[in-house]
Amino acid sequence: EVQLVESGGGLVQPGGSLRLSCTASGFSFNTYSMKWVRQAPGKGLEWVSYISSASETFYYADSVKGRFTISRDNAKNSLYLQMNSLRDEDTAVYYCATDGRASTFDYWGQGTLVTVSS
Amino acid sequence: SYVLTQTPSVSVAPGKTARIPCGGDNIGRKSVHWYQQKPGQAPVLVIYSDSDRPSGIPERFSGSNSGNTATLTISRVEAGDEADYYCQVWDSSSDHYVFGTGTKVTVL
């Protein structure tokens, strides 16, 4: 069974940093590209970032480019999102998801809440 | 950047058919995927590549895509179908994944 478990969320002040983790199990993590998606309270889904299986290709949403960095450790079956210069508008539940063959988001974690507030 | 527009809400009686549109410029040339999200839960893929269903998704869910509109159709609607639905595409011109604005389906 595919499992994705996010962690690392919490309360942080504007301008601060946070590192999210996503631990994967139940599939060959090192063969899958991965993505982060976020959802602000009461709002819709927003794609954040993408990383290929061997960390060769990276994509970022315009809203986070230059502030967020996606990375992975295939030996640890883990995906990360380093978030710097956080803003109020980064407040959201952050989900990690597997990338499907058709550019879909096939499997999702349960999400971790990031709150940016003074 | 590419924009996907969805009707904010759709109401449907049990047993009837719900049609959820997703508008985008020449969206018919793209591959469209659909997600169902119930309150407090992560999204679930219900339709991929315009009209294919992942394993475990009921046949009541179907999709189509042509011109400037893609449509998710839910036949014989059940109370358990009440959820938010999002369309999604890959925009190769910007290397961005794009989600629609979302449609809340209410079962009367």
Side-chain angles (χ1 to χ4, degrees):
Chain A
E1 178 193 5
V2 172
Q3 278 203 319
L4 298 169
V5 179
E6 301 93 340
S7 60
L11 175 64
V12 60
Q13 291 187 338
S17 298
L18 211 55
R19 189 196 196 205
L20 305 183
S21 299
C22 169
T23 303
S25 61
F27 65 104
S28 299
F29 180 75
N30 61 352
T31 65
Y32 280 77
S33 299
M34 297 293 294
K35 293 176 269 200
W36 287 98
V37 178
R38 68 185 181 183
Q39 186 169 35
K43 302 297 184 182
L45 301 173
E46 179 188 17
W47 166 73
V48 172
S49 187
Y50 161 97
I51 185 170
S52 61
S53 58
S55 301
E56 296 166 325
T57 303
F58 308 84
Y59 301 131
Y60 295 93
D62 295 345
S63 58
V64 306
K65 196 169 187 178
R67 301 187 299 122
F68 289 12
T69 302
I70 192 171
S71 63
R72 65 190 296 162
D73 185 338
N74 287 342
K76 295 183 177 180
N77 285 352
S78 293
L79 173 73
Y80 306 103
L81 186 67
Q82 178 66 43
M83 305 185 296
N84 298 331
S85 303
L86 283 162
R87 306 167 179 167
D88 290 351
E89 55 265 35
D90 295 318
T91 293
V93 173
Y94 285 73
Y95 298 97
C96 61
T98 62
D99 181 51
R101 284 176 297 176
S103 296
T104 50
F105 296 71
D106 285 1
Y107 296 99
W108 299 64
Q110 85 291 347
T112 187
L113 176 62
V114 172
T115 302
V116 183
S117 175
S118 54
Chain B
S1 58
Y2 195 76
V3 176
L4 294 174
T5 302
Q6 295 184 244
T7 304
S9 63
V10 168
S11 297
V12 58
K16 299 300 185 182
T17 298
R19 294 179 178 85
I20 304 162
C22 172
D25 186 38
N26 286 315
I27 195 174
R29 297 182 181 181
K30 297 182 180 297
S31 188
V32 180
H33 321 298
W34 291 90
Y35 302 84
Q36 175 194 68
Q37 185 181 32
K38 296 181 179 180
Q41 297 183 19
V44 173
L45 179 68
V46 295
I47 291 288
Y48 66 97
S49 299
D50 296 340
S51 59
D52 291 332
R53 276 186 316 276
S55 61
I57 300 301
E59 291 183 6
R60 301 184 297 103
F61 288 83
S62 62
S64 62
N65 184 19
S66 179
N68 292 317
T69 305
T71 303
L72 173 68
T73 300
I74 310 173
S75 304
R76 302 180 299 283
V77 166
E78 302 175 356
D81 299 331
E82 191 161 279
D84 294 325
Y85 291 84
Y86 296 90
C87 54
Q88 176 254 314
V89 300
W90 162 249
D91 180 28
S92 58
S93 66
S94 62
D95 289 335
H96 280 29
Y97 296 86
V98 181
F99 284 99
T101 49
T103 296
K104 180 177 181 60
V105 170
T106 299
V107 180
L108 300 171

